[in-house]
Amino acid sequence: QRMSSSEEEEETRGECEAAAASCAACPRYRVVAKERKSRVLTPSTIECLRHCATVNPSAGCAHRCVYCYASGYRCSPTEKDTLVVYDNIVEKVAAELASRAATPERVYFAPSCDAFQPVDQVQDITHGVIRKVLAVPGKEVAFLTKGLIREDTMRLLRDNPRRVFAQIGLITVDPAVCELIEPGAAKPDARLAQAKALVEAGVYTTARMDPMLPSITDTPEALNNTFAGMKASGITKVAVSYLFLRPRIRCSLARLNTPAVSAMLQLYALPAVVKAKAKAKASTAEGTAAPAKARAVDVEDGPVQLNLHSSSKITCLPKAYRQQHYATVKNIAATYGIQATVCACKNYDIDGSESCGIAGPLNITPSFAPKKAEAPKKEKGKVKEESKKNAKRLVQQTLGSCKKPKKEVPPK
């Protein structure tokens, strides 16, 4: 017998509530409340988010993902199991939206934390900001989450489906892997149930497999299981990207001390021949030719280092490995009617990478007030030399103005 729409909605809601009850237990965090003094709606340095304003309701995150890149940020709490929440963010966002200063159409949650982590204070702030943003005609909300959205916030999203863009983070449907790598995040079935509820509400919803863990979550069996779960939830698009390493992330993974993770980290180890390549580059800079073989090894056969967001270096899997496995991922996803795209921000060395849609389709233009053009920086030596010349010139002008004017001598 076919259920009515109200019965289907009630069943979906029941699935979400049941999934919430099965969420991984989160340790009690010490929450420290602070006031945000700087502007809240700020642009991001991430290319895929340049068209959005971004909001971080907290510093630190209760999901405790082992691969979390934000844990190394300076704003991240130094004490373990501590979260910093900015309890004046809702009021500041309301003031910024009401001011004459230009703000983008879309607001994204959250570059450095998860807006739906299992902490009441964080979810209160997130709910308040979303309510303020959606109260302004034409403004939109986008988010990426591995957590569970509270029911009062879900009602807000369901009431404004055309102004909401959701992305659900799901690296695998294997609960054991998620428990090991993302111990505080929602369980895979809970995330899929939530995705299904968003899709059925008419919200633009995609998935994100980031990071993919080589030899753990990218095997054919793991990929088939994950894409099957996504298809059942109504997801038709997924962004993919392999794990990248920084020293802090490498140490966090090494502490897990499991055979699978240890074997994975070996793929990121720089071999001796690649280390020799660094010397070859140095010799090239000095004018001597570097061996062609060494150049090829660094690019094709060994891990590569890329500049992320123009400020820091990350260690990535070999280019050839990523190209081959991304092609496999796309093929398997296509069999489930899912379009897989490779994140260009972390794979700009690969042809065919594109926007990952982390904040929804790029159909809007940024409206932040343009910054004043900065004067070109000068070298320290030149600055000192010029300042001396200017000072000397000023002294000469001053002395010259103090001299008595010469009397005009009449012609004989």
Side-chain angles (χ1 to χ4, degrees):
Q1 183 179 358
R2 184 174 177 81
M3 293 187 294
S4 64
S5 59
S6 60
E7 288 175 331
E8 288 180 349
E9 183 178 346
E10 189 64 33
E11 185 184 26
T12 301
R13 190 173 301 173
E15 289 177 359
C16 286
E17 291 174 356
S22 68
C23 182
C26 178
R28 189 175 296 277
Y29 269 70
R30 186 172 74 91
V31 179
V32 178
K34 288 187 179 181
E35 284 196 355
R36 176 76 176 257
K37 296 181 180 180
S38 58
R39 184 178 174 87
V40 178
L41 299 175
T42 55
S44 173
T45 57
I46 302 174
E47 187 63 33
C48 295
L49 293 176
R50 288 189 186 276
H51 62 297
C52 296
T54 61
V55 177
N56 285 307
S58 71
C61 183
H63 284 168
R64 297 174 289 134
C65 300
V66 181
Y67 51 76
C68 179
Y69 62 87
S71 61
Y73 287 177
R74 284 181 294 178
C75 62
S76 183
T78 55
E79 297 181 23
K80 189 179 179 182
D81 297 341
T82 299
L83 285 175
V84 177
V85 296
Y86 304 105
D87 51 7
N88 65 331
I89 280 185
V90 178
E91 292 75 17
K92 285 185 71 68
V93 166
E96 290 175 19
L97 290 172
S99 70
R100 293 184 178 180
T103 55
E105 297 173 22
R106 196 173 297 170
V107 177
Y108 172 78
F109 299 82
S112 302
C113 67
D114 196 307
F116 301 105
Q117 52 190 291
V119 177
D120 288 338
Q121 293 94 322
V122 176
Q123 295 241 10
D124 287 342
I125 293 170
T126 300
H127 177 84
V129 174
I130 290 177
R131 185 163 45 84
K132 294 293 184 185
V133 172
L134 294 179
V136 180
K139 295 295 183 184
E140 301 170 341
V141 169
F143 60 84
L144 163 65
T145 184
K146 297 181 180 72
L148 290 177
I149 304 171
R150 214 166 55 186
E151 181 55 34
D152 56 346
T153 307
M154 279 293 286
R155 282 196 295 270
L156 266 177
L157 304 180
R158 284 196 294 262
D159 291 343
N160 300 273
R162 295 185 179 276
R163 298 163 62 194
V164 178
F165 302 88
Q167 194 169 66
I168 304 300
L170 185 69
I171 64 172
T172 182
V173 291
D174 186 336
V177 174
C178 286
E179 182 67 27
L180 178 69
I181 304 296
E182 305 165 337
K187 298 217 172 152
D189 58 348
R191 296 183 226 179
L192 290 171
Q194 183 168 260
K196 182 178 181 182
L198 289 167
V199 169
E200 291 178 348
V203 174
Y204 182 92
T205 307
T206 62
R208 188 175 189 87
M209 292 179 66
D210 184 7
M212 290 171 55
L213 307 178
S215 302
I216 298 177
T217 64
D218 67 345
T219 63
E221 181 183 2
L223 291 172
N224 276 286
N225 291 338
T226 301
F227 290 138
M230 290 180 183
K231 181 181 179 180
S233 297
I235 290 174
T236 58
K237 291 185 178 180
V238 60
V240 299
S241 187
Y242 269 106
L243 171 75
F244 69 78
L245 293 184
R246 288 190 177 119
R248 183 184 290 266
I249 300 173
R250 189 189 294 271
C251 291
S252 298
L253 287 164
R255 287 193 201 103
L256 297 178
N257 198 27
T258 66
V261 173
S262 299
M264 178 187 72
L265 290 177
Q266 288 298 315
L267 296 172
Y268 291 86
L270 295 175
V273 68
V274 176
K275 291 180 180 178
K277 172 67 174 62
K279 294 182 180 179
K281 279 187 178 179
S283 64
T284 304
E286 294 172 2
T288 58
K293 186 177 180 181
R295 286 198 298 270
V297 167
D298 185 36
V299 175
E300 297 179 5
D301 299 335
V304 295
Q305 287 193 321
L306 303 178
N307 289 319
L308 185 63
H309 311 154
S310 303
S311 60
S312 61
K313 285 190 175 182
I314 58 175
T315 301
C316 300
L317 287 169
K319 180 179 177 180
Y321 183 102
R322 283 178 287 140
Q323 285 178 318
Q324 178 184 348
H325 286 76
Y326 284 145
T328 301
V329 170
K330 288 182 177 182
N331 290 335
I332 295 177
T335 61
Y336 292 89
I338 297 174
Q339 179 187 357
T341 58
V342 178
C343 176
C345 291
K346 303 171 210 173
N347 298 275
Y348 58 80
D349 59 331
I350 293 180
D351 294 335
S353 58
E354 52 192 304
S355 171
C356 59
I358 192 171
L362 299 176
N363 57 357
I364 60 174
T365 55
S367 53
F368 280 113
K371 295 182 180 179
K372 293 181 179 179
E374 296 181 358
K377 295 183 179 179
K378 299 178 180 178
E379 297 179 11
K380 291 183 179 180
K382 290 183 178 180
V383 171
K384 287 183 179 179
E385 188 178 343
E386 288 187 12
S387 62
K388 286 181 181 179
K389 287 181 180 179
N390 292 336
K392 188 176 181 180
R393 191 180 299 113
L394 182 61
V395 170
Q396 288 174 347
Q397 290 174 354
T398 306
L399 291 175
S401 63
C402 294
K403 292 180 181 179
K404 294 181 180 180
K406 292 181 179 181
K407 291 182 179 181
E408 293 185 7
V409 179
K412 291 182 180 180

